[in-house]
């Protein structure tokens, strides 16, 4: 600010001294006034046009039906808020520096796609899951699960990668939509449903039903297509699955894991077949 | 004289552009682009929450520091994460589909949780 004032005074003094000498000050004043008036008028017009565009957009948006993206963005955020007591995400933010590692993993594996938001849970109710929300993904991961397995940054990033790919495959939304016979947002906009049935479906699919063997196989197959060219990452992926398999077998607390993600044992078999050279 | 006058137009333009920059930076305003966000007392998501702002609400930017903006909203002054604001007013779902949105019937604690959620998210995107 001070610098700009200084520059202003400098140029203005040069200008004024020259202008006085030339005797053109009145003319300059006139031009300045005219210029100011024109600018003000233009500015007013622009502001009015902007307001009109916003007004028109509002009318259009209000008259158009809620899109699937808008609807699910709201529902998934609402689900997180309403289920906070189970998920327990409201605790002091942890940062393992995973985001940078995850980002470089996506870059290394040549993944493009939606932006994402990572949220740590302070509960074991679900170890990890990805939920779509409009045009971005929410990746949930349990802090106790990370600590129990003593996961490295790369291993956490690979769990997030699994969930990212699962979201790209649209597995969860296909299951949820099937439950509603693809009526989705349409029903709700007609005003004959509240949000609660949608939240319950997410509860059922995420906490209870989980994913099928077929879903898991498709995911593994898809993940392998990205990992097969990178031996070191593939080895970490193998090792991660081993860790999870051992945890599930040894800790009663995680006995539910194979019901949600069937199953680490089978995944090992699939990985050995699909990534044979990278076996540890 | 005419010639001198036209020669000095670049000065004028320069001065006006400087003035515009100063004015714009001193009184810029932005709009909340999330459902709800928190206005904090300090530059920390764990500092006291002074106010919860709703989507589309306008704030005046006082200063900018790293990922944070120091803003005023009504009589409140506080810090909020920069990523939660846009230069342009968005068409918020709560405004465009208010009838449906009002069915949610959020209580105060849930409104707070919405804001907290935005504080806790770690944002990223593939860098291809």
């Amino acid at each position: 600010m001070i610098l700009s004032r200084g520059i202003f005074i400098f140029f203005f003094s040069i200008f004024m001294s020259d202008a006085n000498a030339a005797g053109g000050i009145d003319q300059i004043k006139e031009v300045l006034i005219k210029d100011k008036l024109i600018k003000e008028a233009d500015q007013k017009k622009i502001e009015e046009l902007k307001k009109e565009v916003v007004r028109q957009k509002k009318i259009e948006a209000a008259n158009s039906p809620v899109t699937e993206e808008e609807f699910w963005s709201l529902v998934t955020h609402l689900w997180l808020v309403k289920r906070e007591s189970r998920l327990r995400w409201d605790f002091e933010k942890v940062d393992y520096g995973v985001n940078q590692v995850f980002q470089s993993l996506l870059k290394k594996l040549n993944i493009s796609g939606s932006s994402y938001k990572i949220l740590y849970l302070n509960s074991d109710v679900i170890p990890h899951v990805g939920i779509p929300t409009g045009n971005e993904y929410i990746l949930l991961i349990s802090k106790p699960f990370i600590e129990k397995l003593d996961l490295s940054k790369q291993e956490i990033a690979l769990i997030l990668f699994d969930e990212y790919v699962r979201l790209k495959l649209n597995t969860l939304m296909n299951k949820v939509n099937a439950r509603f016979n693809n009526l989705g947002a349409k029903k709700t906009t007609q005003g004959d449903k509240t949000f609660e049935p949608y939240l319950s479906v997410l509860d059922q699919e995420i906490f209870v039903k989980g994913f099928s063997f077929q879903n898991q196989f498709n995911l593994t197959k898809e993940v392998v297509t990205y990992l097969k060219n990178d031996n070191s990452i593939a080895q970490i992926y193998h090792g991660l699955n081993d860790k999870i398999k051992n945890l599930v077998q040894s800790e009663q607390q995680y006995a539910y894991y194979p019901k949600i993600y069937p199953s680490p044992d089978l995944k090992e078999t699939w990985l050995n077949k699909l990534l044979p050279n990278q076996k540890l | 004289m005419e010639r001198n006058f036209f020669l000095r137009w670049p000065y004028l333009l320069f001065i006006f552009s400087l003035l515009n920059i100063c004015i714009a930076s001193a009184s810029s305003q932005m709009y909340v682009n999330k459902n709800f966000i928190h206005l904090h007392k300090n530059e920390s998501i764990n500092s006291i929450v002074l106010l919860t702002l709703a989507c589309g609400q306008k704030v005046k930017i006082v200063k900018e520091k790293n990922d944070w903006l120091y803003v005023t909203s009504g009589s409140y002054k506080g810090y909020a994460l920069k990523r939660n604001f846009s230069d342009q007013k968005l068409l918020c779902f709560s405004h465009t589909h208010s009838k449906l949105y009002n069915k949610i019937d959020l209580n105060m604690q849930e409104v707070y949780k919405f804001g907290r959620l935005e504080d806790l998210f770690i944002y990223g995107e593939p860098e291809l």
Side-chain angles (χ1 to χ4, degrees):
Chain A
M1 188 74 184
I2 292 165
L3 181 71
S4 58
R5 272 186 193 163
I7 296 167
F8 169 76
I9 291 161
F10 171 68
F11 279 101
F12 197 68
S13 57
I14 293 172
F15 172 77
M16 288 306 288
S17 59
D18 285 2
N20 279 332
I25 192 136
D26 291 339
Q27 205 172 349
I28 293 160
K29 264 186 189 172
E30 204 177 301
V31 171
L32 280 172
I33 290 163
K34 266 186 193 172
D35 185 54
K36 195 186 167 197
L37 287 173
I38 291 165
K39 269 189 181 171
E40 275 176 2
D42 285 350
Q43 197 60 37
K44 265 189 183 176
K45 272 183 194 169
I46 290 165
E47 288 301 320
E48 276 169 17
L49 275 171
K50 271 186 186 172
K51 275 182 188 171
E52 184 57 25
V53 168
V54 171
R55 203 175 67 85
Q56 285 299 331
K57 275 188 181 172
K58 265 188 186 176
I59 292 167
E60 271 174 36
N63 291 329
S64 64
V66 181
T67 63
E68 287 276 319
E69 280 186 0
E70 285 176 321
F71 180 74
W72 284 108
S73 171
L74 183 64
V75 169
T76 46
H77 283 89
L78 189 62
W79 181 80
L80 286 172
V81 167
K82 296 267 187 191
R83 302 297 182 258
E84 197 281 325
S85 56
R86 284 187 83 180
L87 297 165
R88 294 177 60 199
W89 49 258
D90 188 2
F91 69 109
E92 199 162 331
K93 192 173 185 172
V94 285
D95 186 8
Y96 300 109
V98 171
N99 197 20
Q100 289 87 335
V101 179
F102 182 51
Q103 256 175 341
S104 29
L105 179 73
L106 293 175
K107 198 174 179 181
K108 202 172 179 185
L109 300 176
N110 239 354
I111 307 280
S112 60
S114 301
S115 53
Y116 59 85
K117 302 191 271 198
I118 301 168
L119 185 67
Y120 288 97
L121 311 178
N122 200 14
S123 86
D124 267 328
V125 66
I126 186 82
H128 49 84
V129 72
I131 44 177
T133 167
N135 51 7
E136 58 186 1
Y137 301 152
I138 297 178
L139 307 168
L140 307 180
I141 186 155
S142 152
K143 180 175 170 263
F145 181 73
I146 291 171
E147 288 170 351
K148 194 84 190 173
L149 284 171
D150 193 22
L151 297 176
S152 67
K153 283 181 196 179
Q154 275 208 313
E155 286 169 329
I156 302 169
L158 277 168
I159 291 180
L160 297 175
F161 178 65
D162 250 8
E163 292 304 332
Y164 193 89
V165 175
R166 197 198 305 278
L167 287 165
K168 274 175 90 85
L169 293 173
N170 218 16
T171 315
L172 182 63
M173 281 322 286
N174 288 342
K175 279 153 67 68
V176 169
N177 278 330
R179 291 278 297 273
F180 282 100
N181 295 325
N182 293 321
L183 288 175
K186 221 167 151 188
K187 269 263 178 194
T188 306
T189 51
Q190 286 166 2
D192 52 3
K193 290 237 180 208
T194 62
F195 284 90
E196 199 49 47
Y198 296 92
L199 305 184
S200 303
V201 167
L202 283 176
D203 285 344
Q204 279 287 313
E205 294 297 335
I206 293 170
F207 296 135
V208 184
K209 286 191 157 190
F211 299 93
S212 66
F213 284 102
Q214 190 59 51
N215 292 152
Q216 285 297 93
F217 178 70
N218 291 344
L219 174 72
T220 310
K221 219 168 59 177
E222 186 70 14
V223 167
V224 163
T225 60
Y226 293 111
L227 300 188
K228 65 184 174 194
N229 296 326
D230 196 311
N231 196 31
S232 62
I233 298 175
Q235 281 199 3
I236 297 169
Y237 194 72
H238 265 287
L240 173 66
N241 191 58
D242 277 347
K243 272 190 178 182
I244 295 173
K245 194 184 77 180
N246 294 335
L247 177 83
V248 168
Q249 284 167 356
S250 61
E251 297 272 344
Q252 188 56 33
Q253 194 187 344
Y254 291 99
Y256 70 94
Y257 191 95
K259 291 176 195 162
I260 307 284
Y261 303 105
S263 70
D265 283 318
L266 263 176
K267 194 171 179 178
E268 191 181 26
T269 317
W270 297 331
L271 284 175
N272 289 341
K273 277 184 186 166
L274 297 165
L275 282 171
N277 297 330
Q278 279 86 358
K279 199 187 169 198
L280 284 170
Chain B
M1 196 194 85
E2 278 295 307
R3 197 163 163 247
N4 281 341
F5 174 74
F6 284 110
L7 278 174
R8 274 182 269 284
W9 267 108
Y11 287 134
L12 274 175
L13 278 174
F14 181 73
I15 290 159
F16 278 125
S17 61
L18 272 180
L19 281 173
N20 278 336
I21 290 164
C22 293
I23 291 162
S25 64
S27 63
S28 65
Q29 56 193 31
M30 288 180 105
Y31 300 88
V32 176
N33 62 14
K34 306 284 163 53
N35 288 318
F36 294 100
I37 65 153
H38 284 164
L39 190 67
H40 292 277
K41 193 176 178 184
N42 300 311
E43 298 153 74
S44 159
I45 58 160
N46 296 317
S47 74
I48 293 167
V49 175
L50 303 171
L51 187 68
T52 302
L53 299 164
C55 186
Q57 262 184 271
K58 188 169 74 179
V59 294
K60 275 189 181 173
I61 313 299
V62 180
K63 65 175 176 181
E64 200 177 320
K65 198 176 174 188
N66 302 325
D67 295 335
W68 293 85
L69 292 177
Y70 186 60
V71 302
T72 59
S73 174
S75 58
Y76 289 91
K77 278 185 182 179
Y79 292 88
L81 284 166
K82 205 194 294 179
R83 69 185 187 205
N84 295 330
F85 295 95
S86 310
D87 294 328
Q88 301 282 315
K89 192 173 182 177
L90 291 185
L91 291 173
C92 302
F93 190 89
S94 51
H95 300 158
T96 55
H97 297 93
S98 52
K99 209 174 161 183
L100 175 63
Y101 189 79
N102 289 339
K103 281 189 179 182
I104 302 173
D105 195 23
L106 293 170
N107 60 38
M108 288 311 289
Q109 203 189 352
E110 287 164 346
V111 169
Y112 172 86
K113 292 281 183 196
F114 258 106
R116 180 73 177 147
L117 199 53
E118 287 305 333
D119 279 341
L120 291 172
F121 278 138
I122 298 166
Y123 278 74
E125 58 185 323
E127 289 175 339
L128 264 189

